[in-house]
Amino acid sequence: MKSILLKCEIPDFEYISEVLDSYVSFTDDGKRKNLLANFKLNKSSLVKDQLVDLLDKQIRYFGADDLAYLFRSVFSEEAGISSNELVKDICKKLKVTVKQGGSLEAYLERLVKGVVEKELLSKTPEELRKAFKDFGIGEEKAEQVLDFLKNNGKVAVIPVLLEILGPAITLTLIEAIIVGLIAAIVGREAAKIIVREIVKRNPWLAALGPVVWVAGGAWLIFDLQGPAYRKTVPICLYLGIVALRDGPVDGDSFYAN
């Protein structure tokens, strides 16, 4: 998890820290907030490393059972579950099938892709048509996507989007959908930070107003009973889009079926 957290910028750290806040946990919220404040002040690489170490530990803590964490913390500094275990558990919880193997970064990117596919396929053609329109996708291209899905059934959507919209728009759409699903989990107010970041990296989106995909993700919310998943799922999805910023680890095969 640390290698991906190191790619994060201040707004990313602010969002992750906010999601990690907890009144009842063994994590040290005060220490995390102090480290974040120090990093914002002086941009020290040493402070960033300390912040990343603590975030990594706290994220993995929420993936573990409290009592198991407490027991392991007595005997080991690595008390939380491993990052790979955490992502595997989230895939299982969300009923998303993800190809195994490769780095954790690739694993998180595939999780994002699987969740986006599931979200798109959960919408009706009318909902998709409106969502594409709200996102600024031209009517002709939107109809091409919808015609393909109508003629081919519930197939992988990402390759179709890539062919019709191109890689840049497809990745931006993936990011917007994930942010929309995150907003459905943690609330729109908490998602404002990352919405601003999307617009900053994609200025053409500014004309569209609040760029948050209107999630049809009742399937997602229904599956997230329990406070721990309401932290680990949005954080891991968010780290997946952080990982995708410099392109998918799997290269062109990321877009394949």
Side-chain angles (χ1 to χ4, degrees):
M1 198 74 75
K2 292 180 186 178
S3 63
I4 304 159
L5 286 166
L6 283 168
K7 293 184 175 185
C8 288
E9 300 170 3
I10 287 173
D12 304 319
F13 287 132
E14 288 176 332
Y15 166 71
I16 294 169
S17 180
E18 186 173 342
V19 176
L20 284 171
D21 271 348
S22 176
Y23 294 109
V24 184
S25 75
F26 296 122
T27 60
D28 189 339
D29 288 352
K31 181 179 180 180
R32 184 187 67 249
K33 290 177 181 179
N34 285 336
L35 283 171
L36 177 55
N38 287 338
F39 178 61
K40 289 166 68 175
L41 188 65
N42 57 36
K43 310 294 192 300
S44 162
S45 58
L46 176 60
V47 175
K48 183 176 184 179
D49 287 342
Q50 292 172 337
L51 177 61
V52 163
D53 284 344
L54 185 59
L55 289 172
D56 173 72
K57 183 176 181 180
Q58 292 187 350
I59 292 167
R60 291 186 294 106
Y61 154 71
F62 279 107
D65 175 81
D66 273 351
L67 292 177
Y69 177 90
L70 184 60
F71 176 80
R72 283 183 288 189
S73 66
V74 174
F75 301 101
S76 170
E77 293 184 0
E78 295 298 320
I81 65 173
S82 74
S83 298
N84 280 324
E85 284 180 284
L86 175 58
V87 179
K88 184 177 181 179
D89 181 54
I90 289 173
C91 289
K92 183 178 179 181
K93 184 68 176 175
L94 299 182
K95 300 180 177 65
V96 173
T97 302
V98 174
K99 184 178 75 173
Q100 303 292 310
S103 65
L104 177 67
E105 187 170 352
Y107 202 1
L108 283 168
E109 291 173 357
R110 293 171 200 154
L111 168 64
V112 161
K113 177 187 172 185
V115 167
V116 168
E117 291 271 10
K118 189 168 183 177
E119 166 63 11
L120 287 169
L121 291 174
S122 74
K123 287 185 175 289
T124 65
E126 292 72 24
E127 289 171 333
L128 277 179
R129 184 176 286 106
K130 182 181 184 307
F132 288 153
K133 179 182 178 181
D134 291 345
F135 191 71
I137 294 173
E139 185 176 339
E140 182 180 345
K141 289 186 176 181
E143 289 302 324
Q144 283 182 268
V145 176
L146 293 170
D147 285 345
F148 185 93
L149 295 177
K150 179 181 178 180
N151 295 329
N152 293 276
K154 296 204 170 197
V155 297
V157 185
I158 301 298
V160 183
L161 295 177
L162 177 68
E163 182 177 342
I164 295 171
L165 305 179
I169 301 297
T170 299
L171 281 176
T172 304
L173 181 59
I174 287 172
E175 185 172 6
I177 291 172
I178 291 297
V179 171
L181 291 172
I182 288 172
I185 301 168
V186 303
R188 282 176 172 259
E189 192 64 30
K192 278 185 177 179
I193 295 172
I194 46 181
V195 171
R196 285 199 302 268
E197 287 307 295
I198 292 182
V199 174
K200 190 185 297 183
R201 288 192 300 277
N202 303 277
W204 60 274
L205 291 174
L208 302 179
V211 188
V212 175
W213 181 268
V214 179
W219 61 270
L220 179 66
I221 307 305
F222 178 78
D223 278 342
L224 296 185
Q225 302 304 314
Y229 282 113
R230 290 182 177 269
K231 294 184 181 297
T232 56
V233 170
I235 287 174
C236 284
L237 289 176
Y238 186 69
L239 289 176
I241 59 176
V242 169
L244 280 168
R245 284 178 189 167
D246 54 3
V249 172
D250 290 335
D252 290 343
S253 65
F254 172 79
Y255 302 101
N257 294 339

